[in-house]
Amino acid sequence: MHRVFITLLGGCFVLFNSQTRLHAESKTFHVETLQIASDLPHLTLKKFKKLRKQADVQVLDTRSGDIFLKGFVPKSINIGFKGPFDHFITQVFPSEDQKFLLITDLEDKQAVTDHLLKLGYTHIVGALEGGIATWKNSEIVDSLRNINASELKKRSDQGHIVDVRTDKEFANGHIDNAMNIPLTDFANFGSTLKKDDAQLYVHCQSGYRSALAVSILSAKGFKHICNIQGGYKALQEEVKENQ
């Protein structure tokens, strides 16, 4: 009986040590994975261009919307880091397995990377060394018009005004003749719009969402897009000033 007890006790001890070792190895592996992922590769233009061609890789540009619109890598999606980044990155890219190539402000590169890792996005392929300046030096950039509220007033009879705010926001007040296409169903966003010669004037409440919206439309092949700087807030102020 004494011998059986000792044998069982020894077996439990071995099992405990085995489980402890496995837990420690698992923890070590997780830490190492994060450390590897956080050691973000700084890609040459040649490497960046090659990776960008892969169907499962998305170029994510985290610069501010106003800066992004002046020049960006074609088909990149803009989600400004200095804003409600957490909310929209998880909405636009619900899968944590999404692979990213980054274009960031140089001083934000590490912060953006660390932030994505904390949100669960560990498939960060790398960032373009030198940022958008490197791309501009050798490659063509896309750009989108970014007009203010007073400019829209002069052109509002040419094209369509697209309000990407929520249904509730739209119901509380909107611009005459605006169509409400909420920026919520990202996978299908823009599917109801025609790719014709009509100009699309896109706005949200203050400008953050509309920059994201026009980047999605541009990536989907829409050509005649214009962002309204300052959004509905600016449009309201314009109306008040001219009453």
Side-chain angles (χ1 to χ4, degrees), residues 80-203:
F81 186 57
K82 295 178 175 68
F85 181 80
D86 289 15
H87 174 75
F88 284 103
I89 192 70
T90 54
Q91 293 295 311
V92 180
F93 302 105
S95 173
E96 293 177 354
D97 293 328
Q98 176 64 53
K99 296 178 182 178
F100 290 119
L101 284 172
L102 299 181
I103 297 287
T104 70
D105 288 325
L106 299 182
E107 66 272 16
D108 291 337
K109 186 185 298 182
Q110 191 59 54
V112 170
T113 304
D114 292 343
H115 212 71
L116 286 170
L117 290 173
K118 288 178 182 178
L119 292 172
Y121 298 97
T122 56
H123 299 278
I124 308 171
V125 183
L128 179 59
E129 181 67 44
I132 193 64
T134 298
W135 184 275
K136 287 181 177 180
N137 285 338
S138 303
E139 303 293 327
I140 296 174
V141 294
D142 279 353
S143 62
L144 294 170
R145 290 161 62 194
N146 192 27
I147 65 172
N148 60 37
S150 67
E151 288 180 272
L152 176 67
K153 184 180 179 181
K154 302 172 185 176
R155 309 181 187 186
S156 59
D157 59 336
Q158 304 171 14
H160 306 295
I161 300 175
V162 180
D163 187 331
V164 301
R165 296 177 301 156
T166 64
D167 296 334
K168 183 177 180 180
E169 288 174 301
F170 187 81
N172 287 336
H174 58 268
I175 300 299
D176 292 342
N177 301 319
M179 62 175 78
N180 185 213
I181 305 179
L183 188 65
T184 50
D185 184 4
F186 296 96
N188 297 309
F189 179 72
S191 60
T192 59
L193 297 170
K194 294 181 179 180
K195 294 178 182 177
D196 52 25
D197 293 331
Q199 185 74 44
L200 300 177
Y201 296 96
V202 183
H203 79 84

Side-chain angles (χ1 to χ4, degrees), residues 195-238:
K195 294 178 182 177
D196 52 25
D197 293 331
Q199 185 74 44
L200 300 177
Y201 296 96
V202 183
H203 79 84
C204 58
Q205 183 67 16
S206 61
Y208 185 93
R209 281 174 288 177
S210 62
L212 169 53
V214 295
S215 74
I216 293 175
L217 292 176
S218 177
K220 288 186 174 183
F222 286 85
K223 301 298 182 184
H224 305 285
I225 321 165
C226 185
N227 184 67
I228 301 176
Q229 194 173 29
Y232 186 64
K233 287 182 179 179
L235 292 169
Q236 282 183 308
E237 290 299 321
E238 177 66 21

